[in-house]
Each structure stands twice: as structure tokens, then as C-alpha cells.
Amino acid sequence: MLRQFAQLALLCIAVQSVYSETDPKYRLNTTITPSAYTILITPYFDTGDDKAFTFDGEVQITFTTASSINTIKLHSEDLKYTASNITLTNGVNTINLAETNALEFEEKYSFAHINLASDLSSGVEYILKIVYTGPIRTDLAGFYRNYYIEKGVKKWLGATQFESTSARKAFPCFDEPEYKAVFTLTIDRPANYKPSLANTKLQGTLQLSNGFVRETFYPTPKMSTYLLAFLVSEFEAEHYSVNGTKELGVFTRPEAKNQTEYAFDFAVRVVQALGNYFGIDYYSTNSNLKLDHIALLDFKAGAMENWGLVTYRESLLLFIPEESTPYYKYRVAQIIAHETTHMWFGNLVTCHWWSNTWLNEGFANYFQDYITALIEPDVAADDQLIIGSVYTALDADDKPDSPPITNNNVNSPDEISGHFGSISYQKAGSVIRMIHHLIGDNAFKSGLNSYLIANSFQPGYPERLYTALSQGVNVYNSLASYPGHDITDIMSSWISRSGYPLVHVEVNHADSSIVLTQKRFYIHSTDKSDEIYKIPITLSLETAFDFTNTKPAFIMANKTYVLPVREIKENHSWPILNIQESGLYRVNYDSHTWHHISDHLKSSRREEIHYLNRAKIVNDLFAFLFADEEKFDLLHDVLHFLEDETDHAVWFAAIRGFKKLRSHYLGTDTLPIIDDFILHLMESSVTRLGLEVKSTDDIKTRRNRMQVLDLACKIGYQGCIDGALTLYNDFKNNGKWIDPSLREVVYCTGLRYGNGEDYDFLWNRMFTTNVANEARLIGDILGCTSDETKLNSFLVSMLVENSPIKIQDLTVPLSGVLSNYSNVHVVIDSLQNNVSLWKSIYVSLDSVLSSVASALRSDDEINKFENWLSTCTECGESAVTSARSSLAKTKVMTQWAKDHRSDIWTSLRGSASITSVSLLMLLAGYILTYKF
């Protein structure tokens, strides 16, 4: 499953301390092994009676038990049935239920206990039948409802989202990933609906006398409960391929069928490419599997890898070149590749328990970009392996309470959900990438093939993966250069240990050596530990730079390593470590080496250093600043090379660093001088890229233009603002088309310098557009408006009838408005005056209050909010606790800003980039518009 991290950030704040207490009672711990489920679902939509938006269900579970038991414990949540709805048989024999307390529900743990009159025998096959009813839910979990408007008519559909603990909301089951079984599904659908879709092909259809059509699907492969899926709708497929038995389609609401061509083309190619890479053809795993991709209007996750029936948000599956940004072309390819990878890693072989979610998600995270780069190189997915996954992993794992990739403190649904995060996705994916570079492609492919074949249709364990990779390593002798090391020790040390290292490089010209010292990197300098990592070290020397060889020179397994290098003394050479950031570690250098690096970057030889290493230098230096590993003057000195920099990845690293630095100084007198420095560095890029998109621009150029102009306009580059406003007004007043790659900056600038009419104009466009990613783009920037009445309206816009802000987008208005610091008071006023209204929108205020607390900067704001929390009786204890935790982090941030203000002023006041005229103009702009 691909999570929407930007959107889920608000929702996950309250889960940060979830690992401190864990309750193993959430686990089944049963001796029962299910082998087969037969399920019948009959949904009722807007029937206008008491059955409306409910479903009838019937499940038969075939199972055995390994020991004699008289209670069947299984999962069941929000489903209605009594003991009279339960039968248990063994062939022709019926096993009676207990005369008293035959059925007990343990709601906290979502368990149903079926108590029996006699013991069940081990090794004997039983069939448990339960007839039940349940709600077609509204929370996007389990079996839930969704609607869309087609030609003025509301069309209802029923979809599923079972990962990770929601299958139990649709049918009683053994809802843990290791309990794999075969599922045979039957759906009775309304006759006016299109044929239902499920994991497998349709086996048979029967017209019923009650106006329903009974559809039975072929049995699934042996799989976990969370992978079962079905869709009851009027969806259609514009593109559907039947290549012998290899069926693949893209299904949407009828009015969006014209947006599926790219997704269909890529989906066909990527399933073939992954099958070739893993050595197992997808369709060979089960003759009744097909592979459908479904675009849903309201979907909690980014996408979900249900075997044969992959579900997505519309905005992440549909793409129109004329209306979708270049980012979405990459995003559609990436997410299809991610979910298709799961057909092997997650579906064919499934993590035995959510403590090892990485066995599913780490591989999907890696191959989403790795395989995309191979078959669709023009979307620049190879760079995203680093600036997307590695950067995210580094940021997520720099605190003492970061969990390891394998986290055994995962039991409850909240803990499970919390483990679906950057550690299981990006960090695990980056470790897998590092191992790939270490052992080479042949050994890697061989090992993965061995793992998949040996564990097909079974639970997976890290030890089984290490064993398989060791086999590949042995076949190709790929660790011969690293005596004393084996793949199990190397990889398991990264998987079982939290954090990552910082490698300090000391170049000793006197004795021709490079001394490396490692320590765990923390973002706060007061945190210390003694972890030692097994680090695959890659490096290249300035005398003969080679950034193509990512095979590690050695493995650093001790705190210190001395590397003799003849060229250090003879040629006064110096090194760059971590070639193309192929390893998961930061690199700091001694002051003389930093001086050499800075001079080289600012010279005509800048591009001799690979652009991903230039990006790494920038990204690491910003991290070192915030961690007090280096002072601002070093960052300031090195960053001057950006005046001539053209690469998207390098600017990505710089802009994310600038945004974090600016965030620390929002609302202070230091922000204008920082912005002036940034604008000086960006000036040539803004001029070169401009607001004119050329037909020859590749996707990296277009994405670079998007990120550079977005920041330039926001912090006051007048040429950018004027150009964007010209495009916006021509679009608004004359309907002139805007290139999708410019829309984010043009729309946001139009809102910022416009009025309420401009908000209404874009709101109406979001409401009426048929292109989901255009609607999503607008939703993300509506918080740019300077009209406070409209901001207040936007904050509660999900309450509007048929609002384009769906449940999946619940946090979008709040995060959008809070992204502009000058809007913080609007949010606080709305929240404090309408707590009850906000509680009607959000299930919990935990994430809301935490997000507001994180957006504060001044002592006065912090104190006032803290005082209000003490008086808020409606907020809830957990929400107040979460908010206070966020306030504590905010105070650390603001104190850091105060402590480093002098260093920043000293460096920037002495810079040639700061002139009295430009500074006065920038300050004037802040007085007029109070930009964020």
C-alpha cells in the first residue's frame, strides 16, 4: 500500500509515542489454521428503507486446529449476528455451541469468541458458517460507500480497503497476515450496476428473482485476509487487454475513461518488466488471476495492492498530458510500479506479522522507482530513489525514539498503522538499495528469485530473505572483496537497529591516509549513543573523479577506519564519499576538505562532481546546521555554487533546506535577510527557466521550473510575481490555457495577490473539473488566498454538500491554510470559537491541535495557545497531550532559531549578495504582505 505521507502527516502525529506501550492481547494466538473462505455479500445502497447502506453477509470458514480446543476466537468488528446465526460442522456432523454464553464479543480487541459444548479435535477439518449483517461504512475502511455525480445524478458504489486490520469489518475472519487461505467470493449486486470486480476472474452469473444478479468469482490464490477486495459499481474500462489468459484493465467512472491511456500502457509494461526481473511471471502464479486497476474518488490510502484488483485515488491513476502536471506523470508511474511490485512482495510472499511490514513495503518502495527508471526513463524516477526515498528516510530516523525497521512492539491497530511509515517504506527501501549496490545486480536478482520461489503463498520472515540473498551472493561470489562479512550480518544490522551513521572524513596529507570515524547521527546535538553500523563505503578522489562505480570499496564495521591512499600526499587529492548516495549515511569532512569541495563547486569544474553528490552535499550541510555539527558560515560559503547550478535534484535539496531554515525564522526579523540570500542564489535559475514552457523541455526541467518559481514567487521575486499574475489574469479573464507545469505557482500567486473572487473562481474550478489531479492541485493551494473570510470557509469546506474535499482529503484545508504562517491566527480563532464544529469534522482533535501547535513561532503565540489548551474542556485529554508534545518541539525549534540568529546575521551581513537597497525592498514587501 502506498500511503499519502503529506496528507497523513497530520493524522499520524498522535501516533509518535505508540511504541512505548504495547499490548500483546491484540494478537489472535490461536491454534486454528484456516484453509478456505466462502463469502456471499449482498449490498444495499440508497434503497430508502432500513436496509439502506447495509449489506447481508454469509461466510463459511474451513479450518483445522493443532490442539484440542472448545473456543473459536476470531476477528469481528461492527458486524451483527447472534449464536443462532452460527453453525459448525464436521462433514455431516454438527458441533453444538455452549448452552450459555455461546457467543461473546471482546470489542477492545475486535474478537468474537464462539464457545462450544465439546472440544474440537486436532487435525480434523471443520466448517464454521456465520450469517451476519453490517454497515456499508463511511470511514473508507472495510466495505465502504462512495459516490460520484454523473450528469446530475448521484451514483453510489461499494469498495473495500482491508489493509491492515479492516477485513474483520466485512466478514468474521482470522485477520492476521500469516493466516493465509483461499477465498471464493460471491456478490449479489443490483441488476442496474455493471459487473462487479474482485481479485479473480468472474466464474459465473445468475439472474435472481429479487432484482439482483449473483456473480461468483474463481477461487483466489492462497492469501491473507487483507488482500481480499471487491467493487460494486457502474465503472467501465476504456482499455482492457486480453492476451491469452493475461487480462489487465483500468476501470473508472464512465466520464473519466478518457484519462486512462497512460496508466494502462504503463501497467502492461511494468507487470511484464517486474516478472522478468523477479523470474516469476505474474500470471503464472494462478490461472484465474487478472490485474485490474481501479480509480476511486474517495480512498484512504494512496493505493492498495489487492491481488488482481488494485485500488487507487483517481488523482494517482488518471493522467491527461494537457491538464496534468509533470509531477503526476511520474507519480502515476511510480504508484502503479509500487502496487505491482506488491504482487510478489506482499501478495505472493507476505510478511508474517506487521512488525516486518518492510518485507512488503520496503521492496515496493525501492522498485517503484528502480523499475520505473528502467522502463520509463523520461520521468526521472532514478533521482527519486535518492531525493525522495533516501532524504525522507534520513529525516525520519534522526531521533532517539525512532523505531528499527523490524519493530517487535507492534500489536494494536494503531501501532500497526503507525508502522506503515517512513521507516518501513523509505528507510527499508534505501537499505535494500544499498544492499543491491553492495552485492551487484546478478546476486540480487538471484537472491530475490530464490526468496520468492521458496516462500510462495507463505508468510515471509527476514531470516528467509537473508538466506536467499546469501545463496545469490554465493553463486556470484559477490562478497569476495569483503572477507569476514556475510549478507545476513550486514543487512540484519541495518534492519534490527534504529538510526543511521554520520561518517566524518579526516584527510591526512602528511601520511597519505583518510581517517574515517562513524557515529549515529542525531538532529539534536544533545543526543548521544554508541551504535556502530556496518557501512558499505564508496568514494572517489579529486585527481580522477569516477562517480559511476557504486560498488563499495570496503565495509566499515568499526568506529574508526584508516584508509591509506597514495594520491593524498603525492597529488594533494581529496575524496568525495558515498557515490550517488548509494549508502544510507551522511558524510562530514574536515575543514580543509570542505574548503576544497566548496572551491571545486564554485569553479568551472562543478559538474565533475555527480549531480546527486552535489545534492547530497547540500542536503547533508543543512542537516549538519540543524544538528550543530557545522556552523552556518560553512553552509553559506558552499551554497554560492547554486548561482550557476541547473540540476533539478540539486535544487530540490537546496529548496527543501531553505524551506526548513525559513520555517525556523517565520515572523522574525531574520527571515527577510535569509530570503534575500535565497533570491540572490536563485536569480540566474529564475531568469533561465522563466515562465515560458518550451516543447523541448524535459520533465526534469519542467519540475525544476515548478519548484524554483514556486519558492521565488512566495518570497518576493517581483519578476516571478508579475509574470505569474499575467498568466493567471489571462486565464481567469480570457480562458487562456496554462501549461500544467506552471499552474501551481500561477494559481497560488493569483490567490495571494487577489481577493475573494479569485478564491471563488478556483473553488468553482475544483468543484467542476473532471480531472482529479487538477482538483487536487487546486485543493492544495487554496490556502494561498489572503482573504480571511475565504480561509475560514475553506477550513470547513468538507461540510459543503457534494464537496470536492472528500474524506481522503480531510486534512488538506487545515494543512493548506497553516502552510502560510500569516494564517495561523485565522485557524486558532476558528478553532477556539467553534470547537464543537471542528469535532464534527474530525474524528479526533489530536492531529488538529498538534498541527496548530507545530505552526506557532512567537513566544506570545505559544503561551496563549498553551493557556487555551488548559481551559478547553471539549478538546479531549489525548488531544491536549499531543498538542503539548508538539508545543515542546516547537519551543526547541524557536530556541534553536534564537541561538543561531547571530551566526546567520554575521554571515549574511558580510555577504556580497546583501545590499541595502535589496534588503529595504524585501522588508517593504514583508510589511505590505507579511509573506510566509
Side-chain angles (χ1 to χ4, degrees):
M1 176 167 60
L2 191 55
R3 293 293 182 101
Q4 288 294 99
F5 290 111
Q7 221 173 80
L8 288 175
L10 294 176
L11 300 177
C12 292
I13 289 174
V15 189
Q16 291 173 352
S17 61
V18 77
Y19 304 101
S20 57
E21 296 181 11
T22 185
D23 184 354
K25 292 180 181 178
Y26 281 98
R27 297 293 302 275
L28 274 171
N29 295 319
T30 181
T31 61
I32 289 175
T33 300
S35 59
Y37 291 78
T38 300
I39 302 169
L40 170 63
I41 300 289
T42 305
Y44 306 96
F45 294 103
D46 52 343
T47 55
D49 56 20
D50 58 0
K51 280 188 171 292
F53 301 112
T54 68
F55 68 95
D56 294 334
E58 179 181 305
V59 62
Q60 295 185 57
I61 309 173
T62 303
F63 70 90
T64 58
T65 175
S67 65
S68 178
I69 57 174
N70 60 12
T71 296
I72 300 171
K73 181 173 73 170
L74 74 170
H75 287 106
S76 181
E77 185 174 343
D78 294 338
L79 303 176
K80 294 181 180 180
Y81 51 96
T82 65
S84 63
N85 302 122
I86 301 172
T87 56
L88 181 64
T89 58
N90 167 22
V92 296
N93 301 315
T94 298
I95 290 83
N96 294 324
L97 275 58
E99 292 185 6
T100 59
N101 297 323
L103 176 63
E104 297 177 289
F105 291 102
E106 194 174 4
E107 292 187 6
K108 177 179 179 180
Y109 300 109
S110 301
F111 288 141
H113 299 268
I114 302 171
N115 299 312
L116 309 174
S118 58
D119 288 353
L120 300 183
S121 301
S122 63
V124 175
E125 188 171 85
Y126 296 92
I127 297 178
L128 173 67
K129 178 180 178 181
I130 304 175
V131 178
Y132 61 97
T133 63
I136 304 179
R137 305 173 66 92
T138 60
D139 61 358
L140 309 186
F143 181 35
Y144 73 92
R145 64 186 188 251
N146 214 184
Y147 74 85
Y148 56 95
I149 306 297
E150 181 179 287
K151 298 178 181 177
V153 178
K154 181 176 283 189
K155 301 279 189 173
W156 288 99
L157 61 87
T160 58
Q161 172 57 30
F162 290 163
E163 190 178 40
S164 48
T165 59
S166 291
R168 65 193 68 172
K169 299 172 184 175
F171 59 102
C173 58
F174 299 89
D175 199 15
E176 294 184 3
E178 68 176 302
Y179 296 107
K180 292 194 168 196
V182 173
F183 296 80
T184 302
L185 177 68
T186 298
I187 295 177
D188 289 353
R189 64 162 170 88
N192 61 313
Y193 277 56
K194 294 292 174 64
S196 299
L197 299 171
N199 304 83
T200 52
K201 300 171 187 176
L202 185 63
Q203 183 177 16
T205 301
L206 177 66
Q207 299 288 334
L208 302 179
S209 59
N210 61 355
F212 282 72
V213 177
R214 174 162 294 178
E215 296 169 325
T216 300
F217 297 87
Y218 282 102
T220 69
K222 187 180 179 183
M223 67 185 195
S224 306
T225 50
Y226 77 88
L227 292 171
L228 185 69
F230 48 92
L231 175 72
V232 184
S233 72
E234 297 182 53
F235 278 21
E236 299 175 358
E238 178 83 356
H239 300 281
Y240 202 94
S241 169
V242 180
N243 179 11
T245 60
K246 299 182 178 182
E247 298 185 14
L248 185 150
V250 179
F251 287 81
T252 69
R253 54 188 171 86
E255 291 183 340
K257 288 193 301 182
N258 66 326
Q259 303 174 39
T260 60
E261 183 176 358
Y262 178 68
F264 175 78
D265 172 71
F266 185 83
V268 170
R269 289 187 288 129
V270 78
V271 71
Q272 180 67 45
L274 286 168
N276 292 341
Y277 194 92
F278 299 142
I280 302 172
D281 179 70
Y282 167 74
Y283 296 96
S284 72
T285 58
N286 186 284
S287 61
N288 294 316
L289 273 175
K290 37 73 178 177
L291 187 54
D292 293 335
H293 301 267
I294 314 300
L296 296 169
L297 286 88
D298 214 357
F299 189 65
K300 183 179 292 186
M304 177 60 207
E305 67 270 17
N306 313 298
W307 214 342
L309 189 72
V310 186
T311 44
Y312 302 78
R313 294 185 180 191
E314 264 200 7
S315 61
L316 297 178
L317 184 62
L318 307 184
F319 176 82
I320 299 182
E322 298 79 16
E323 296 295 324
S324 304
T325 70
Y327 165 78
Y328 276 110
K329 184 175 184 181
Y330 158 71
R331 195 77 166 92
V332 168
Q334 176 211 42
I335 198 167
I336 293 174
H338 180 107
E339 304 308 328
T340 306
T341 300
H342 275 309
M343 300 301 117
W344 290 266
F345 290 91
N347 299 5
L348 185 62
V349 183
T350 312
C351 64
H352 75 286
W353 177 242
W354 304 113
S355 56
N356 281 304
T357 299
W358 73 274
L359 288 173
N360 296 7
E361 300 299 346
F363 281 97
N365 179 266
Y366 179 46
F367 278 97
Q368 70 185 22
D369 289 319
Y370 179 76
I371 202 71
T372 299
L374 293 180
I375 66 174
E376 191 81 334
D378 70 326
V379 299
D382 49 346
D383 292 354
Q384 291 298 321
L385 285 164
I386 296 91
I387 64 175
S389 288
V390 173
Y391 286 9
T392 300
L394 295 174
D395 286 350
D397 202 28
D398 57 12
K399 300 170 188 66
D401 59 354
S402 299
I405 294 174
T406 288
N407 182 5
N408 294 320
N409 292 324
V410 171
N411 286 298
S412 72
D414 283 345
E415 290 166 350
I416 293 168
S417 180
H419 201 44
F420 277 81
S422 298
I423 300 299
S424 294
Y425 284 68
Q426 283 84 2
K427 184 184 178 184
S430 298
V431 170
I432 291 167
R433 174 175 175 264
M434 179 168 63
I435 296 300
H436 190 177
H437 282 283
L438 173 66
I439 67 176
D441 196 51
N442 289 330
F444 186 65
K445 284 198 293 187
S446 176
L448 296 189
N449 176 260
S450 296
Y451 171 72
L452 293 169
I453 290 176
N455 299 284
S456 291
F457 309 108
Q458 300 296 324
Y461 295 82
E463 295 75 18
R464 295 180 181 179
L465 174 66
Y466 306 151
T467 297
L469 288 173
S470 295
Q471 293 171 0
V473 166
N474 292 336
V475 169
Y476 290 95
N477 202 27
S478 59
L479 287 182
S481 302
Y482 317 106
H485 295 287
D486 65 74
I487 197 66
T488 297
D489 288 342
I490 297 169
M491 191 169 185
S492 63
S493 71
W494 289 86
I495 297 300
S496 61
R497 180 179 294 127
S498 57
Y500 61 86
L502 162 64
V503 175
H504 186 270
V505 180
E506 186 78 31
V507 180
N508 192 328
H509 291 280
D511 65 4
S512 295
S513 69
I514 300 173
V515 180
L516 306 181
T517 307
Q518 67 159 297
K519 67 176 181 179
R520 179 171 172 178
F521 178 81
Y522 289 112
I523 196 62
H524 299 303
S525 58
T526 54
D527 295 321
K528 308 289 182 185
S529 67
D530 56 2
E531 282 98 343
I532 298 296
Y533 301 85
K534 298 181 188 298
I535 313 171
I537 298 291
T538 55
L539 76 161
S540 185
L541 295 175
E542 178 266 342
T543 45
F545 273 143
D546 177 9
F547 288 91
T548 61
N549 182 14
T550 58
K551 176 75 172 176
F554 58 92
I555 295 174
M556 182 179 178
N558 297 314
K559 184 176 180 61
T560 303
Y561 189 99
V562 179
L563 177 67
V565 182
R566 176 174 49 81
E567 292 88 347
I568 293 296
K569 183 175 182 179
E570 291 182 359
N571 302 314
H572 298 284
S573 189
W574 44 270
I576 294 287
L577 267 70
N578 204 348
I579 302 305
Q580 295 189 47
E581 195 133 24
S582 52
L584 190 65
Y585 58 97
R586 297 191 187 276
V587 184
N588 200 357
Y589 301 89
D590 63 71
S591 59
H592 291 294
T593 304
W594 272 124
H595 176 75
H596 288 306
I597 292 171
S598 180
D599 284 350
H600 197 97
L601 288 172
K602 290 181 285 189
S603 75
S604 60
R605 298 173 60 195
R606 179 188 82 254
E607 293 187 350
E608 290 180 352
I609 299 176
H610 194 279
Y611 68 88
L612 290 175
N613 281 92
R614 302 200 301 271
K616 176 174 179 52
I617 288 166
V618 172
N619 192 53
D620 280 354
L621 277 174
F622 270 109
F624 298 154
L625 171 68
F626 295 117
D628 288 321
E629 294 286 344
E630 295 290 349
K631 291 186 176 297
F632 182 79
D633 59 352
L634 174 61
L635 176 70
H636 173 255
D637 176 63
V638 173
L639 288 186
H640 278 286
F641 86 89
L642 293 173
E643 294 173 33
D644 299 311
E645 183 57 62
T646 61
D647 185 80
H648 165 256
V650 182
W651 273 110
F652 180 90
I655 288 171
R656 76 193 300 268
F658 290 146
K659 287 180 177 179
K660 184 172 181 178
L661 182 62
R662 295 184 77 252
S663 178
H664 281 66
Y665 287 97
L666 292 171
T668 71
D669 61 354
T670 306
L671 188 59
I673 195 171
I674 291 173
D675 283 350
D676 194 67
F677 174 59
I678 295 171
L679 289 175
H680 172 76
L681 298 179
M682 296 180 74
E683 185 174 6
S684 62
S685 287
V686 173
T687 302
R688 182 184 67 258
L689 292 167
L691 280 155
E692 180 183 353
V693 179
K694 303 175 182 64
S695 60
T696 55
D697 290 341
D698 61 17
I699 198 167
K700 289 180 66 172
T701 300
R702 292 175 185 234
R703 292 191 65 183
N704 197 30
R705 179 183 290 111
M706 287 169 63
Q707 65 180 359
V708 168
L709 294 183
D710 176 67
L711 183 59
C713 276
K714 284 178 179 176
I715 64 177
Y717 193 99
Q718 198 60 48
C720 178
I721 294 168
D722 292 343
L725 287 175
T726 297
L727 291 175
Y728 172 78
N729 289 322
D730 215 5
F731 168 64
K732 177 188 174 185
N733 299 325
N734 305 315
K736 186 175 180 180
W737 179 79
I738 301 175
D739 189 280
S741 65
L742 297 174
R743 290 183 185 180
E744 181 177 352
V745 64
V746 169
Y747 290 174
C748 186
T749 305
L751 287 168
R752 184 177 296 112
Y753 294 93
N755 53 35
E757 290 183 2
D758 297 289
Y759 174 91
D760 290 340
F761 169 71
L762 286 173
W763 169 268
N764 290 333
R765 180 173 174 82
M766 179 175 64
F767 209 108
T768 58
T769 182
N770 190 41
V771 181
N773 41 43
E774 169 75 352
R776 177 58 200 267
L777 184 150
I778 295 173
D780 284 341
I781 57 86
L782 282 174
C784 292
T785 183
S786 55
D787 187 299
E788 291 193 5
T789 300
K790 298 301 180 183
L791 287 171
N792 277 296
S793 174
F794 187 41
L795 285 171
V796 295
S797 57
M798 57 286 286
L799 299 177
V800 173
E801 184 177 3
N802 297 327
S803 173
I805 304 296
K806 306 293 185 184
I807 296 174
Q808 66 180 18
D809 305 316
L810 195 62
T811 64
V812 168
L814 177 60
S815 60
V817 175
L818 284 178
S819 67
N820 185 336
Y821 176 65
S822 62
N823 293 339
V824 169
H825 73 282
V826 176
V827 175
I828 292 177
D829 289 346
S830 175
L831 175 62
Q832 294 179 350
N833 294 329
N834 303 281
V835 174
S836 297
L837 179 64
W838 282 62
K839 288 183 70 175
S840 72
I841 295 172
Y842 295 92
V843 175
S844 165
L845 290 182
D846 290 27
S847 61
V848 172
L849 299 186
S850 294
S851 299
V852 174
S854 299
L856 306 179
R857 289 298 178 270
S858 74
D859 292 340
D860 185 56
E861 290 172 342
I862 293 171
N863 292 333
K864 285 182 178 178
F865 190 69
E866 201 161 21
N867 291 335
W868 176 77
L869 287 174
S870 301
T871 64
C872 182
T873 57
E874 293 186 74
C875 291
E877 184 178 348
S878 66
V880 172
T881 300
S882 296
R884 285 180 173 149
S885 176
S886 294
L887 278 176
K889 295 173 184 176
T890 299
K891 290 176 183 178
V892 171
M893 175 188 290
T894 56
Q895 187 59 52
W896 185 96
K898 293 172 186 176
D899 293 344
H900 293 78
R901 177 186 181 278
S902 177
D903 287 346
I904 292 172
W905 273 89
T906 299
S907 294
L908 294 182
R909 278 187 302 185
S911 171
S913 68
I914 301 295
T915 67
S916 58
V917 176
S918 63
L919 184 55
L920 286 172
M921 290 177 65
L922 194 63
L923 285 169
Y926 272 81
I927 294 170
L928 290 173
T929 62
Y930 197 50
K931 294 184 185 66
F932 60 109

